[in-house]
Amino acid sequence: MMVYHKLLKRQLQKYGDESLLENEAFLRFIDAVNDSYLAFDRDRELSEHAFSISQEEFSEINHRLKNEVNIREYSIEKLKETLKSVKTDTGLPDFNSDNLLEIVDILNAEISRRREAEKLLIVAKEEAEKASHAKTDFLSIMSHEIRTPLNAVIGMGHLLLKNDPRPDQVNNLKVLKTSSDNLLVLINDILDFNKIEAGKLDLENAPFSLKKLVTDIVSANTNNSNERENTIKAIIDQKVPELMIGDALRIGQVLNNLVSNAVKFTHKGNIDVSVQVKSLSAKTAVIELAIHDSGVGIAQDKIETIFMPFTQASTSITRQYGGTGLGLAITKKILNLYKSDIEVESEIGKGSKFFFTLELEIVEGNAADLNGDETLDFDLNKKHILLVEDTLFNIVYATQLLEGWNIVVDVAENGAIAVEKMRNEPYDLVLMDLQMPVMDGYTATTKIREFNNDTPIIALTASATSNVREQVLKAGMQDYVTKPFNPDDFYIKLKRYLA
Ligand code: ADP
């Protein structure tokens, strides 16, 4: 017999008649009723279960929402706190709203305000750059203007010393010469420093002989060294390659600064300039250059500062030795361009060692291959030169110098006169000033080159800018001499083009 639902069982017991249970049709009916009871129970269970599930989910969602609200409230609090902390220096308005939209508005206003401030900063930066350019230009123009009369002072001093001065004048003339030479060094230092600061100093890459450079610098400092009763010598490693690629002018400047300092700060002592090969490959050499002196030395706490511009180890130094304190600053910057640095070891009273390394490319050949090995015995007798120059001092100086070498000099006061003279007269060489009234040297050269391509033209320039060479070559000149010109270098240049 079938197991009936307990409720149906109870009702059957209460109302059922035994005989009914014998009736087939009734039993089928009761089975169907029983199925309905059971189905109802299952449905109820299911719906109860379903309800309990959504209850759990609901509380879970509720919990998450609460968390989120907490986080949001906390964020708004934080946001407000942060805004308040930046408010003082930005001028944000006072606010105490929890409304995120309001905070967003405030932030937007602040962003626009900052964008404005940024624009102003950019304008200020541009102004500062302009001022810095103006400073650089001013210094270049000033030093150019100073170099021009200085050219005359140095030149006249040179001529007066050469033209048999009275014995009582010799000392005065020497003072004049030393002072004007020093002034030129100072102006050149300021120009160089300026150029390096403006990032305008480019290293030249040409073959040069380091050995010759070092020996030349030692010879150039020997007189001063002797005057201070010092012994100076160069110690050069045999392995140093004959020719390497570099900027002889700048490397020479570094060495000369260090050697002349060593001489200046040493009395009755020794100065050794050593060149050692640290490593050598087929293509490059790493060289250590060291300048060792047994002079006054430098206090430990001053070693850092002496490399700063216009700084000296002590104020008494200027009084005693002169100088500007620019030499080492320039030295350091030039070496930095070579990815190197200057190092120093020093002890007060014992002396100093300044040293650095250079990695240079090696090239085939030797010093004799370079055209620097010229002698001063060439005869310039009766050569005919056209001097194009407008400054009276320079005319007088250059004419005396040239006539001293038996050269016949003709003067043109500006470019236009020079062009006329070139049409009518054959000259062996032209010395061409660049800045002149009426017609400048570049224009005059271009005009001359329209009908004369043979006569060498050498520019005379007081400007030491790095692109001067490029400019004079482009205009059709062969070379240039920087004023104030050193008579020996000037002679060598003339000889090169007149020989
Ligand atoms: P300047 O020589 O014009 O003063 P430098 O920049 O070349 O400028 O040198 C800065 C300072 O460093 C010098 O004034 C000096 O105090 C110190 N100094 C440089 N070289 C030496 C040296 N060989 N011995 C002692 N002191 C030195």
Side-chain angles (χ1 to χ4, degrees):
M1 138 138 193
M2 222 161 136
V3 183
Y4 291 126
H5 186 274
K6 59 179 193 273
L7 207 62
L8 182 61
K9 233 195 295 186
R10 226 181 292 147
Q11 283 166 333
L12 277 176
Q13 278 160 7
K14 203 167 169 189
Y15 307 108
D17 184 325
E18 286 291 315
S19 64
L20 276 178
L21 295 176
E22 312 280 288
N23 186 321
E24 278 283 315
F26 182 74
L27 277 180
R28 271 202 304 278
F29 168 72
I30 285 297
D31 282 351
V33 172
N34 187 45
D35 281 348
S36 304
Y37 269 93
L38 291 175
F40 177 78
D41 267 8
R42 256 198 325 274
D43 282 354
R44 203 197 60 206
E45 257 172 49
L46 273 177
S47 68
E48 272 174 4
H49 181 65
F51 183 71
S52 80
I53 283 179
S54 67
Q55 187 83 344
E56 269 168 32
E57 267 176 5
F58 178 74
S59 87
E60 157 91 28
I61 287 169
N62 208 18
H63 182 74
R64 274 213 306 263
L65 273 177
K66 257 193 202 155
N67 263 353
E68 249 164 58
V69 168
N70 280 346
I71 289 172
R72 255 171 225 194
E73 273 174 359
Y74 181 72
S75 311
I76 291 177
E77 270 320 301
K78 277 271 150 204
L79 202 57
K80 273 160 60 184
E81 256 172 53
T82 317
L83 286 177
K84 269 184 196 140
S85 76
V86 295
K87 181 182 151 301
T88 35
D89 59 304
T90 60
L92 277 178
D94 248 330
F95 65 92
N96 209 359
S97 162
D98 287 350
N99 183 340
L100 266 179
L101 285 178
E102 215 171 288
I103 292 178
V104 167
D105 280 348
I106 290 171
L107 281 177
N108 270 335
E110 180 57 16
I111 288 169
S112 326
R113 208 185 62 80
R114 290 208 174 194
R115 289 222 171 104
E116 275 308 303
E118 226 168 72
K119 268 190 215 149
L120 289 179
L121 269 183
I122 290 171
V123 172
K125 182 176 156 266
E126 281 166 0
E127 290 288 320
E129 276 168 0
K130 251 191 239 161
S132 166
H133 278 144
K135 185 201 81 180
T136 314
D137 289 351
F138 173 76
L139 276 173
S140 303
I141 293 166
M142 273 307 288
S143 35
H144 175 270
E145 293 303 313
I146 294 169
R147 278 158 73 107
T148 308
L150 186 59
N151 177 23
V153 175
I154 291 181
M156 290 302 161
H158 173 84
L159 291 177
L160 287 171
L161 261 171
K162 273 202 135 181
N163 292 345
D164 290 327
R166 290 198 315 265
D168 63 304
Q169 291 173 326
V170 171
N171 247 342
N172 293 353
L173 287 174
K174 278 191 177 159
V175 172
L176 174 74
K177 188 178 179 311
T178 316
S179 309
S180 49
D181 283 348
N182 284 346
L183 185 55
L184 181 62
V185 169
L186 169 63
I187 290 169
N188 286 341
D189 275 359
I190 292 177
L191 261 179
D192 278 346
F193 188 74
N194 203 25
K195 218 191 283 176
I196 298 175
E197 285 281 271
K200 282 190 188 152
L201 190 113
D202 296 322
L203 293 173
E204 219 181 90
N205 285 319
F208 78 108
S209 162
L210 183 63
K211 286 183 186 174
K212 185 170 181 311
L213 185 67
V214 171
T215 40
D216 283 354
I217 285 168
V218 168
S219 320
N221 282 279
T222 302
N223 262 349
N224 282 347
S225 177
N226 290 345
E227 273 171 26
R228 301 186 53 74
E229 297 174 63
N230 292 321
T231 314
I232 182 169
K233 62 176 186 298
I235 305 161
I236 301 175
D237 188 340
Q238 284 309 307
K239 294 196 295 287
V240 174
E242 290 298 322
L243 288 187
M244 290 179 285
I245 301 280
D247 190 329
L249 185 78
R250 296 302 168 189
I251 297 174
Q253 190 176 2
V254 166
L255 286 169
N256 197 48
N257 277 343
L258 298 174
V259 174
S260 60
N261 274 351
V263 170
K264 194 158 82 166
F265 295 106
T266 307
H267 184 54
K268 291 191 178 163
N270 304 303
I271 293 120
D272 290 341
V273 184
S274 90
V275 188
Q276 294 296 325
V277 174
K278 285 262 136 184
S279 71
L280 203 58
S281 75
K283 282 199 173 135
T284 59
V286 178
I287 314 259
E288 184 184 85
L289 293 115
I291 294 87
H292 209 137
D293 69 62
S294 60
V296 295
I298 306 156
Q300 283 306 309
D301 62 334
K302 291 291 188 298
I303 284 187
E304 285 287 307
T305 52
I306 54 169
F307 295 102
M308 284 165 16
F310 304 107
T311 332
Q312 298 180 318
S314 93
T315 43
S316 63
I317 281 178
T318 321
R319 262 175 277 133
Q320 209 180 336
Y321 304 99
T324 55
L326 270 178
L328 288 179
I330 293 172
T331 295
K332 190 175 172 72
K333 295 213 176 224
I334 293 176
L335 289 179
N336 288 165
L337 292 178
Y338 270 107
K339 305 216 171 1
S340 172
D341 208 352
I342 181 88
E343 292 181 73
V344 56
E345 285 164 8
S346 186
E347 202 178 320
I348 284 279
K350 290 241 165 107
S352 314
K353 178 187 170 191
F354 285 83
F355 56 107
F356 59 93
T357 53
L358 287 178
E359 181 169 356
L360 299 171
E361 196 185 317
I362 304 169
V363 278
E364 285 294 307
N366 57 50
D369 300 340
L370 307 172
N371 48 15
D373 252 10
E374 284 143 305
T375 46
L376 295 176
D377 57 3
F378 180 75
D379 185 13
L380 296 176
N381 202 4
K382 298 282 174 283
K383 292 283 178 190
H384 200 185
I385 284 186
L386 177 63
L387 172 67
V388 191
E389 171 68 74
D390 65 311
T391 314
L392 183 64
F393 297 127
N394 290 334
I395 295 174
V396 175
Y397 169 51
T399 308
Q400 285 200 32
L401 201 62
L402 294 167
E403 284 175 352
W405 296 323
N406 294 324
I407 289 171
V408 182
V409 187
D410 201 356
V411 177
E413 283 86 5
N414 65 50
I417 300 174
V419 178
E420 269 324 291
K421 284 191 181 269
M422 285 296 286
R423 279 190 206 281
N424 303 320
E425 191 91 33
Y427 291 98
D428 295 309
L429 186 138
V430 182
L431 292 170
M432 180 75 80
D433 185 24
L434 293 178
Q435 282 147 335
M436 287 176 295
V438 186
M439 186 187 284
D440 67 37
Y442 294 112
T443 319
T445 304
T446 313
K447 290 203 180 292
I448 291 168
R449 286 297 177 233
E450 283 167 12
F451 59 89
N452 176 326
N453 250 325
D454 307 325
T455 314
I457 303 181
I458 299 180
L460 300 177
T461 169
S463 141
T465 53
S466 55
N467 57 357
V468 88
R469 170 177 210 92
E470 207 177 293
Q471 283 172 349
V472 303
L473 294 182
K474 209 172 121 201
M477 292 176 245
Q478 275 59 52
D479 209 331
Y480 71 100
V481 179
T482 12
K483 294 186 278 188
F485 28 74
N486 168 310
D488 292 345
D489 294 345
F490 189 39
Y491 188 92
I492 285 170
K493 278 257 160 102
L494 289 181
K495 186 197 117 179
R496 192 177 298 163
Y497 292 98
L498 287 172

